[in-house]
Amino acid sequence: GITPYDATHIGHAATFIVYDVLQRRLLDIGHEVRCVRNVTDVDDPLFAKARQLGVHYLDLAAGEEARFERDMAALNALPVHSTPRASSAIPDIRGFIGMVLDRGYAYESGGSVYFDVSKFPSFGSVSHYSREQMIAFARERGGDVDNPAKRDPLDFVLWHPSAPDEPSWEAMWGPGRPGWHIECSALALRELGETIDLHGGGSDLIFPHHECERAQSEAATGVPFVRHWMHVAMVFKDGHKMSKSLGNLVFVDALRKEWDPRSIRLALLAHHYRTEWEWTDRDMPEAAARLASWSGSVGGRREVQLLDDVRAHLDDDLDVPGCLVLIDRAVARGVDVTDVSRLLGVDI
């Protein structure tokens, strides 16, 4: 999902387009797919940006969500099953926290509710990080590891008091708002049930977000939360991961003013989802040339085997770059690649 406080950059888009190709292949096989993309409209970064701009956080979220949807439509992403908002699920979240507390996996302290990682022995099995690594990542990613109200530095917040200018809801533990992780677990349970076939996002979500999601979800329901995890590697620019703090971002809506959105999609598809990569000034011209080449194939001869070969690459850990090489070679042979490019979401 998204936290709608800024425009969609290439790193975000790469993740969503990977899942779009996966969804297309699953549908191509004949599966029913329910893809849920949540909207985290109750979260620290959103509140901070709204505070900085002097606007209501929901107004900021609505505007950025609309911009994101325009970007996804331009990149030819399939519609998803649902896009639930955290702000719509406060009753679900309160009930979920109650389940975790009732099962003995959480405690109240200092006006907040925390998950007790000591009660969940398999904590860490999503990331496979050491305790020292988890503490370091938690400190870096807003885990509040030095909070004296917590029994353990890795315990994470489920509910806490709101700042004076933040939204607040009533709860039996006191007025406040949910933590980030619990929102996604509650939405997943509401939209997809107790166990999800596949769950993921960017690799920076492995810890703490997905680690904490699994722990609290399985603590609440007593059944496995996710059958398969899938994480998309980070995109770099100028030698560093794209991040707002560094300002090394490339925004999709800015690229769309200069380039065909199909070229932007092809630029993203040129990299395997497991591999970190660097965005450079060569990406768009190379993608535009590829689009022109593929478009020039229309009206050529058909080759049935090509579609089977592309499907085989997709089934091999979603090897989209391998698909692009196959299609390029087919174009060079005078083959019409309309059908195989459509499977990748590129209409020529």
Side-chain angles (χ1 to χ4, degrees):
I2 62 170
T3 302
Y5 66 98
D6 210 336
T8 314
H9 65 65
I10 286 297
H12 297 143
T15 297
F16 293 111
I17 293 306
V18 163
Y19 282 99
D20 185 67
V21 173
L22 175 62
Q23 187 177 183
R24 287 173 183 274
R25 176 55 180 146
L26 292 172
L27 291 168
D28 180 52
I29 292 170
H31 290 297
E32 177 189 355
V33 180
R34 293 187 180 183
C35 180
V36 175
R37 190 178 65 217
N38 61 296
V39 179
T40 309
D41 61 354
V42 180
D43 198 21
D44 292 339
L46 175 64
F47 298 150
K49 185 65 176 290
R51 194 175 294 128
Q52 175 189 335
L53 296 175
V55 299
H56 194 281
Y57 77 99
L58 288 180
D59 291 335
L60 174 61
E64 293 302 341
E65 185 183 356
R67 179 154 56 158
F68 170 81
E69 293 289 358
R70 290 194 296 272
D71 286 340
M72 289 299 102
L75 295 178
N76 199 31
L78 294 172
V80 295
H81 175 69
S82 61
T83 56
R85 293 170 178 79
S87 60
S88 75
I90 300 302
D92 304 274
I93 293 166
R94 287 187 296 228
F96 199 105
I97 295 171
M99 292 165 65
V100 179
L101 278 165
D102 289 345
R103 292 174 63 91
Y105 287 95
Y107 60 92
E108 296 180 57
S109 176
S112 299
V113 181
Y114 296 99
F115 187 90
D116 188 346
V117 298
S118 72
K119 301 291 180 64
F120 198 80
S122 64
F123 189 79
S125 64
V126 175
S127 64
H128 302 290
Y129 295 152
S130 67
R131 176 177 171 84
E132 291 71 25
Q133 287 174 308
M134 288 192 287
I135 290 175
F137 277 124
R139 176 173 281 113
E140 176 187 320
R141 297 170 181 174
D144 197 20
V145 297
D146 300 314
N147 186 340
K150 300 197 298 185
R151 298 174 183 172
D152 186 292
L154 289 176
D155 290 350
F156 53 92
V157 68
L158 305 180
W159 187 270
H160 55 138
S162 302
D165 62 345
E166 294 175 349
S168 179
W169 292 270
E170 292 298 323
M172 61 188 300
W173 320 287
R177 62 182 179 88
W180 171 30
H181 312 308
I182 200 71
E183 296 171 354
C184 296
S185 284
L187 288 171
L189 178 63
R190 188 182 78 183
E191 299 291 321
L192 293 171
E194 293 180 336
T195 301
I196 302 170
D197 290 315
L198 190 146
H199 186 18
S203 60
D204 56 342
L205 296 181
I206 295 173
F207 190 89
H209 189 48
H210 289 159
E211 194 74 69
C212 297
E213 263 195 276
R214 183 188 79 91
Q216 65 200 11
S217 292
E218 295 185 5
T221 67
V223 300
F225 176 45
V226 173
R227 294 190 174 96
H228 303 282
W229 291 94
M230 181 178 173
H231 294 99
V232 180
M234 296 290 97
V235 180
F236 288 67
K237 186 176 184 295
D238 303 328
H240 300 278
K241 181 177 80 74
M242 283 194 183
S243 69
K244 293 179 175 62
S245 59
L246 293 176
N248 60 339
L249 301 176
V250 178
F251 292 108
V252 171
D253 63 350
L255 286 175
R256 289 201 287 120
K257 295 174 182 176
E258 184 178 356
W259 301 96
D260 188 319
R262 296 175 297 173
S263 296
I264 304 173
R265 186 178 176 103
L266 279 171
L268 300 174
L269 295 178
H271 307 275
H272 194 273
Y273 79 91
R274 286 187 187 269
T275 306
E276 293 179 345
W277 56 280
E278 178 97 5
W279 178 268
T280 72
D281 292 338
R282 300 188 305 274
D283 284 273
M284 286 312 307
E286 290 173 0
R290 173 170 271 146
L291 177 63
S293 173
W294 289 15
S295 298
S297 77
V298 177
R301 61 187 177 86
R302 295 298 177 115
E303 197 174 273
V304 176
Q305 186 62 39
L306 177 61
L307 190 55
D308 291 337
D309 291 344
V310 166
R311 284 169 169 154
H313 274 272
L314 290 176
D315 294 346
D316 181 15
D317 197 23
L318 213 66
D319 180 18
V320 180
C323 296
L324 302 191
V325 171
L326 286 177
I327 297 171
D328 288 342
R329 291 172 179 170
V331 169
R333 296 194 302 271
V335 175
D336 185 324
V337 298
T338 302
D339 292 340
V340 287
S341 64
R342 185 180 298 118
L343 182 57
L344 301 181
V346 180
D347 295 332
I348 58 174

